[in-house]
Amino acid sequence: MKITERAIDKLANQMRIYAEAIVRFDALKKVDLQEAIDNLDRNFEAKLEAFHSLYDVDKAAFDYFEHADTAVVLLLRNAIHHRDHELFSSWNVTMAQEGGPLRFLGAEFLIASHHVAGGGHVGNQLYKAEDFLLRVDSGLNSPALERKMSAKNRGKILEQLRTDLRFNELFAKASAERYPTEQIYLNVIPIFISAVCRTFKSLKTRGVIFVGFDARTYEMHFTDELKVDFSVISYNSIRIR
């Protein structure tokens, strides 16, 4: 049990550190844009690693691949952790590459985010929606296909993306409004929030104790207050001028 308690505390601690990086981002980018982006992305990746650590010690008791939110978080973690492909370059990194946003002058991007209720500000960690499909949809003939996973399990996650996370709806809207596929971005923070809510609630139901200041603080938020509704997607557009 203490191993699980430490994994929870590690995850909660990384979540706090990422939240602090978000708060500092706007001020820091005026001084050093690259440092601001690196801090945010590396701290998000640390959250993914901490979630995976919890999965490692808890997977015998809870099926993380049965649910779209937890499965996709693990899919994203593995893709970024192994990095044997060029997928999952964040919005900030893409826009900050040589030439900056002006490389996309005149282009309009569609930004999708699932609805989070019960909380305040929800951060943005944006990745191309297509990248998720390129990891699991063998029909796309992607060189970045997740080959450590069986075809059956890839198909299961693909269906979770299409139906549970409403990718069918997202891509239908993008097609109807004539957005190029590479200009569709997804905010993964609501998916991460939902995954943590699901996991923390399961752990609490099983009698696991949340030990440490960060763990106790996030226990309340993620078991009683926050709720993600995957049936509701908000859309925004960003035109590079």
Side-chain angles (χ1 to χ4, degrees), residues 41-231:
D41 281 11
R42 296 298 85 77
N43 280 310
F44 179 71
E45 290 165 17
K47 283 206 310 180
L48 294 176
E49 290 296 333
F51 187 87
H52 192 273
S53 294
L54 179 56
Y55 156 76
D56 277 338
V57 301
D58 192 46
K59 60 187 176 184
F62 184 73
D63 188 351
Y64 284 72
F65 285 96
E66 185 62 27
H67 310 281
D69 46 13
T70 47
V72 168
V73 166
L74 292 172
L75 178 75
L76 178 59
R77 177 269 174 188
N78 290 340
I80 291 176
H81 176 83
H82 296 296
R83 192 59 84 180
D84 54 355
H85 52 81
E86 296 184 0
L87 304 181
F88 298 109
S89 175
S90 72
W91 166 272
N92 287 329
V93 167
T94 300
M95 289 298 139
Q97 288 173 2
E98 187 174 354
L102 292 179
R103 291 178 298 129
F104 306 102
L105 189 64
E108 184 170 290
F109 293 82
L110 181 65
I111 312 298
S113 185
H114 297 96
H115 178 67
V116 180
H121 173 73
V122 176
N124 287 296
Q125 189 73 28
L126 307 178
Y127 296 99
K128 289 179 183 176
E130 180 189 32
D131 287 0
F132 292 91
L133 302 182
L134 290 171
R135 286 297 278 177
V136 293
D137 188 348
S138 58
L140 297 177
N141 297 315
S142 168
L145 190 70
E146 171 58 271
R147 300 190 182 278
K148 295 181 177 65
M149 186 179 292
S150 70
K152 179 181 178 180
N153 287 339
R154 285 198 304 267
K156 181 177 180 179
I157 293 182
L158 178 58
E159 185 61 22
Q160 289 171 329
L161 286 165
R162 286 174 170 169
T163 58
D164 297 354
L165 298 186
R166 304 298 176 109
F167 270 45
N168 282 349
E169 173 189 321
L170 167 57
F171 280 93
K173 176 181 175 64
S175 177
E177 299 182 10
R178 311 186 83 171
Y179 283 95
T181 304
E182 65 273 12
Q183 290 170 211
I184 308 167
Y185 276 77
L186 175 71
N187 183 15
V188 299
I189 295 300
I191 299 173
F192 188 90
I193 289 172
S194 180
V196 174
C197 287
R198 185 182 304 279
T199 305
F200 278 13
K201 287 175 182 177
S202 174
L203 290 162
K204 189 172 182 179
T205 299
R206 286 181 271 137
V208 176
I209 304 301
F210 288 65
V211 178
F213 176 80
D214 289 333
R216 290 193 298 270
T217 299
Y218 281 102
E219 174 192 8
M220 176 181 65
H221 291 304
F222 285 84
T223 60
D224 296 327
E225 297 177 1
L226 295 173
K227 181 177 175 58
V228 179
D229 186 351
F230 288 126
S231 70

